[in-house]
Amino acid sequence: GYERRINLGDFGLVAFGGDAQKNTLHVEINAQGCARVQDWAKAEAWGKSSGASITRLDLAHDDFEGRHVDISKAREWYEAGGFTGSGRPPSPKLVDDLGTGSGKTLYVGRRSNGKLARIYEKGKQLGDKASLWVRVEVEWRNKSRDIPWEALIRPCQYLAGAFPCMRFLSAIQEKIRTTRKALEISYASMVRWLKTAAGPALNAMLHVHLGDAVGVLQEVVREGIPKRLKPYAGSMPDQLLMTVT
């Protein structure tokens, strides 16, 4: 949706302009560009200091000899629940080369949901039919999640934390959590605080109002939202329809 685009050679692009873009600047660095970055800590510092946000992040692990992962192993992971966290298992899709040697790809998850894993035979896709090189790659988008700048300096930990089956990549795992999950935790914490701090008072007021909860709320509710929920304000209208226990 930007009006202007400047190509950065073979390394990415910069886009800007357009009333709908609200004076923002889009910077995109592709794999070749990332390979030229010598100090990711400086990139992290720049992102934080400039108030920039990451809208897409791809992290990958290359198993050049296919010792730890291949397509068959990845399918076993999926069938054993290795890609399932606390919710439903993400949807899988296998692109089979039918023995042609051009390389198979297993997709787990959906880009539209903001998180997609790709396990593919990278060597074969580059033209070596005998290659054992397999790449494990996860793509995040900032849909219902905040992608932390720390992932640039600890990529292995965040890749290892993407799915249970990838924990072998690092002894320490970090997760990019969805905004929904963070909102659930913050909302539940707020409810526990209110119950402890004001539960008896609200109960007394409910008796005074003869069980009329609306009357109680009209007497105590004021505009605004708690500080702990402000980071998720944009998600609240839909998210607070959920049941929080």
Side-chain angles (χ1 to χ4, degrees):
Y2 290 92
E3 290 182 347
R4 300 188 63 186
R5 165 177 171 160
I6 299 174
N7 291 325
L8 304 177
D10 296 326
F11 307 124
L13 62 92
V14 174
F16 58 94
D19 294 337
Q21 306 308 326
K22 301 178 181 178
N23 295 318
T24 59
L25 182 73
H26 174 84
V27 180
E28 187 171 319
I29 306 175
N30 60 23
Q32 294 183 64
C34 288
R36 296 295 188 97
V37 177
Q38 298 181 2
D39 190 341
W40 282 107
K42 289 184 178 179
E44 177 203 20
W46 172 84
K48 288 182 174 180
S49 64
S50 64
S53 60
I54 300 175
T55 57
R56 172 177 171 175
L57 176 68
D58 292 22
L59 300 179
H61 167 76
D62 287 305
D63 189 341
F64 294 104
E65 303 297 330
R67 293 179 179 177
H68 302 290
V69 60
D70 55 27
I71 298 298
S72 296
K73 183 67 174 178
R75 292 184 65 175
E76 291 177 7
W77 288 347
Y78 184 84
E79 292 168 1
F83 288 93
T84 304
S86 57
R88 297 179 180 178
S91 59
K93 178 182 177 182
L94 176 65
V95 178
D96 199 327
D97 65 357
L98 299 178
T100 62
S102 60
K104 302 176 183 178
T105 301
L106 176 64
Y107 296 91
V108 181
R110 294 182 179 180
R111 178 171 288 164
S112 59
N113 293 336
K115 185 179 179 183
L116 174 67
R118 291 181 289 267
I119 299 92
Y120 58 103
E121 296 173 325
K122 181 66 174 179
K124 291 181 178 179
Q125 291 187 356
L126 292 177
D128 184 355
K129 295 184 178 182
S131 176
L132 300 177
W133 178 7
V134 175
R135 174 171 289 176
V136 178
E137 187 173 86
V138 178
E139 171 192 320
W140 287 270
R141 292 176 181 261
N142 67 335
K143 180 178 181 179
S144 299
R145 55 175 52 80
D146 293 320
I147 303 175
W149 283 97
E150 287 78 4
L152 300 186
I153 58 174
R154 298 200 301 273
C156 191
Q157 295 177 16
Y158 279 91
L159 185 59
F163 296 99
C165 61
M166 296 184 185
R167 291 174 181 166
F168 74 95
L169 293 172
S170 173
I172 301 174
Q173 299 99 37
E174 298 283 357
K175 293 185 178 181
I176 299 178
R177 300 187 182 277
T178 62
T179 305
R180 176 189 177 94
K181 188 62 178 179
L183 175 57
E184 288 178 1
I185 294 171
S186 297
Y187 182 81
S189 177
M190 180 193 68
V191 171
R192 288 195 298 270
W193 170 85
L194 181 63
K195 185 175 182 179
T196 301
L202 291 173
N203 184 55
M205 292 180 68
L206 193 62
H207 281 82
V208 170
H209 284 268
L210 302 177
D212 181 11
V214 174
V216 173
L217 289 175
Q218 288 176 339
E219 191 168 339
V220 299
V221 168
R222 61 188 178 92
E223 291 186 358
I225 60 174
K227 185 177 179 180
R228 74 180 74 192
L229 297 183
K230 285 185 178 180
Y232 319 110
S235 303
M236 286 180 62
D238 294 328
Q239 299 288 7
L240 291 185
L241 293 175
M242 61 193 171
T243 300
V244 181
T245 58

